[in-house]
């Protein structure tokens, strides 16, 4: 039974889907006017662990992620320059080119990190009509009102506002630099639709003239379209709790008159050297920056997996070094089981599998699950353990099937063992499987394990 921490109730709750055996999930996606940094990617790794756990538990997933290719404004308070427009001006490319370029890089980063793509990827610019319809309905119901620069949501009509963040409006405003717009009925009223200045590059026709959607309406309109309401799960980073998700709830519930999402689940932030990541400090690292320094994307994934998603994670290069070393050790250890013969007893593997499932089902306790993995692989080399490792990896996503011996170990293999490996290779080439198996058994009796890869066999001490 999967339990997950629901920000709405501030409690771990049993996951009960709306449709039996299915999990509908919406995840706030990137704004593609820039590269995703490692903090953003931590949030998508969390999303991925959640999706993998649901799949592991047998749920069929319907996941939606938006790609915000309409620039939203520089501040949550609907002020400032449009981010996409700014990038477009600075990089001398059209907003469409900017969006296409960064979307492509984003998906490459996800692939390198073994983050599975949600089933539906929804570009905001493909859903302008749905957004306009949504805004129109809110206006018709009396929740939206028009002023000179756009259509705004009337928070005064939605008394439940603030139920997710548990902040009252004054507290919420205290932190945000919202410029006063004297036409708004309340300072926290937010834009559903903005009217565009003629020079604004991305703009669409609407009942209120040329304009572009507010950021929050994108997620509401696209989740409604693909998942219906209510749906099961909504994910994002903790920074989205007080404004973005609060606003989504207000829009959704104003429209449908009922609860829109059953489980709001948020990933904690990544810090760098104990502080905020920021352009001015030069510490908004990307995966490509880590790769340039000799790390692999999966070293970073392993680094993230060591900290529970609801805890802050402080990124340092020392920490990443430690993760890289541990991950390499893990692959070496796993290889010993991969290359070992079956030991004819599944009971140990089954015991560990049960512990593993209990850990991930307890609010995605992946750090504990990793601990169980480490304990398990200390058992005597045995194929059954390797098979359990592959099961764990369905959730961990660490490509443990690619486990190989450490380079130094391969270099230390005695000539006698190498000779047996060569004979086994020849036996396989001659399709003499019985002989190949007998040779593998002999190699293992002598304390070595052999396995086959695309580049040929690999052998190492067990
Ligand atoms: P954005 O493109 O700014 O909307 O961010 C994309 C995702 O990354 C959102 O879910 C944010 O909550 C999340 N995010 C932004 N900064 C960080 C950070 N430092 N650590 C973890 N997640 C973050
Ligand atoms: Zn969103």
């Amino acid at each position: 039974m999967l339990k997950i921490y629901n920000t709405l109730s501030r409690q771990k709750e049993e996951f009960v889907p709306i449709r039996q055996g299915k999990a509908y999930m919406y995840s706030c996606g990137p704004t593609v006017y820039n590269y995703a940094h490692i903090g953003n990617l931590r949030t998508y790794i969390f999303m991925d662990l959640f999706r993998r756990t649901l799949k592991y538990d047998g749920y069929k997933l319907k996941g939606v992620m938006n790609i915000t290719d309409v620039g939203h404004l520089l501040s949550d308070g609907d002020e400032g320059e449009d981010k996409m427009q700014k990038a477009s001006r600075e990089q001398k490319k059209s907003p469409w080119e900017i969006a296409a370029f960064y979307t492509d890089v984003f998906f490459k980063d996800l692939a390198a990190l073994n983050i599975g793509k949600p089933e539906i990827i929804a570009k905001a610019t493909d859903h302008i009509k749905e957004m306009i319809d949504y805004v129109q309905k809110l206006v018709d119901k009396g929740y939206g009102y028009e002023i000179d620069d756009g259509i705004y949501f009337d928070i005064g009509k939605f008394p439940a506002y603030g139920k997710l963040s548990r902040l009252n409006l004054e507290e919420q405003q205290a932190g945000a630099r919202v410029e006063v717009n004297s036409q708004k009925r309340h300072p926290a009223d937010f834009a559903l639709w903005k009217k565009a200045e003629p020079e604004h590059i991305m703009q669409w026709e609407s009942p209120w003239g040329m304009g572009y959607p507010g950021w929050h309406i994108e997620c509401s309109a696209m989740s409604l379209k693909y998942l219906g309401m209510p749906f099961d799960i909504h994910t994002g980073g903790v920074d989205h709790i007080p404004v973005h998700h609060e606003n989504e709830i207000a829009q959704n519930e104003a429209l449908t008159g009922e609860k829109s999402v059953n489980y709001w689940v948020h990933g904690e932030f990544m810090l760098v050297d104990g502080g905020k990541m920021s352009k001015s400090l030069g510490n908004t690292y990307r995966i490509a920056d880590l790769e340039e320094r000799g790390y692999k994307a999966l070293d970073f994934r392993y680094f993230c997996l060591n900290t529970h998603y609801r805890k802050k994670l402080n990124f340092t290069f020392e920490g990443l070094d430690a993760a890289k070393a541990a991950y390499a050790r893990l692959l070496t250890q796993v290889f010993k089981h991969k290359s070992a013969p079956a030991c004819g007893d599944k009971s140990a593997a089954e015991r560990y599998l049960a512990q593993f499932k209990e850990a991930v089902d307890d609010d995605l306790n992946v750090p504990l699950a990793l601990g169980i993995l480490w304990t398990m692989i200390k058992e005597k080399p045995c194929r059954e353990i390797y098979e359990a490792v592959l099961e764990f990896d369905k959730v961990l996503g660490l490509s443990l099937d690619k486990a190989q011996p450490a380079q130094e170990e391969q270099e230390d293999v005695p000539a006698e063992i190498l000779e047996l490996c060569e004979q086994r290779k020849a036996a396989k080439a001659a399709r003499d499987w019985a002989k190949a198996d007998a040779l593998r058994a002999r190699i293992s009796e002598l304390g070595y394990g052999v396995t086959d890869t695309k580049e040929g066999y690999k052998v190492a001490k067990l």
Side-chain angles (χ1 to χ4, degrees), residues 204-375:
W204 292 266
E205 251 172 65
S206 80
W208 317 281
M210 295 302 287
Y212 55 96
W215 171 35
H216 320 294
I217 203 73
E218 286 179 25
C219 290
S220 282
M222 295 193 279
S223 53
L224 176 66
K225 172 166 177 177
Y226 293 106
L227 302 175
M229 280 184 199
F231 62 92
D232 299 308
I233 304 161
H234 196 310
T235 70
V238 288
D239 57 325
H240 284 167
I241 300 171
V243 178
H244 182 48
H245 290 167
E246 207 73 87
N247 292 354
E248 277 187 50
I249 290 177
Q251 294 168 154
N252 298 345
E253 300 189 4
L255 185 84
T256 67
E258 57 177 4
K259 189 174 181 184
S260 55
V261 178
N262 285 341
Y263 303 87
W264 286 91
V265 189
H266 294 96
E268 246 302 347
F269 253 38
M270 172 168 276
L271 307 174
V272 172
D273 296 326
K276 227 183 123 137
M277 241 179 280
S278 84
K279 282 254 161 58
S280 57
L281 294 172
N283 63 5
T284 50
Y285 301 114
R286 299 165 43 202
I287 288 299
D289 297 325
L290 304 187
E291 285 171 345
E292 238 168 62
R293 295 180 188 221
Y295 303 95
K296 296 220 165 67
L298 291 184
D299 296 332
F300 176 71
R301 182 175 174 107
Y302 185 87
F303 173 78
C304 290
L305 263 45
N306 275 293
T307 301
H308 189 260
Y309 77 92
R310 281 197 292 119
K311 291 221 169 82
K312 287 194 175 65
L313 171 55
N314 185 28
F315 177 87
T316 60
F317 280 100
E318 295 77 61
L320 187 59
D321 283 336
K324 179 182 171 175
Y327 180 48
R329 266 202 321 279
L330 178 65
L331 290 175
T332 313
Q333 283 293 117
V334 167
F335 177 78
K336 298 188 174 177
H337 298 280
K338 182 179 179 183
S339 55
C343 44
D345 180 8
K346 282 195 181 358
S347 61
E350 276 165 7
R351 199 175 64 243
Y352 289 115
L353 275 167
Q355 289 175 11
F356 176 82
K357 183 162 157 49
E358 200 178 315
V360 293
D361 278 353
D362 181 14
D363 194 26
L364 317 181
N365 196 341
V366 175
L368 179 60
L370 273 182
I372 295 164
L373 173 64
W374 275 105
T375 308

Side-chain angles (χ1 to χ4, degrees), residues 5 7 32 37 58 77 80 112 150 179 201 249 276 297 384 389-390 431:
Y5 184 87
T7 306
V32 285
H37 58 57
E179 283 172 43
I201 316 177
I249 290 177
K276 227 183 123 137
E384 286 84 345
V389 167
L390 294 185
R431 309 179 83 73

Side-chain angles (χ1 to χ4, degrees), residues 409-441:
E409 293 195 20
Q410 282 182 75
E411 284 157 10
D412 285 347
V413 179
E416 180 200 358
I417 303 292
L418 287 175
E419 174 55 30
L420 290 171
C421 290
E422 284 300 318
Q423 286 178 22
R424 176 174 170 271
K425 187 174 153 191
K428 284 187 69 172
R431 309 179 83 73
D432 186 348
W433 311 120
K435 186 170 177 197
D437 282 350
L439 283 160
R440 167 185 271 204

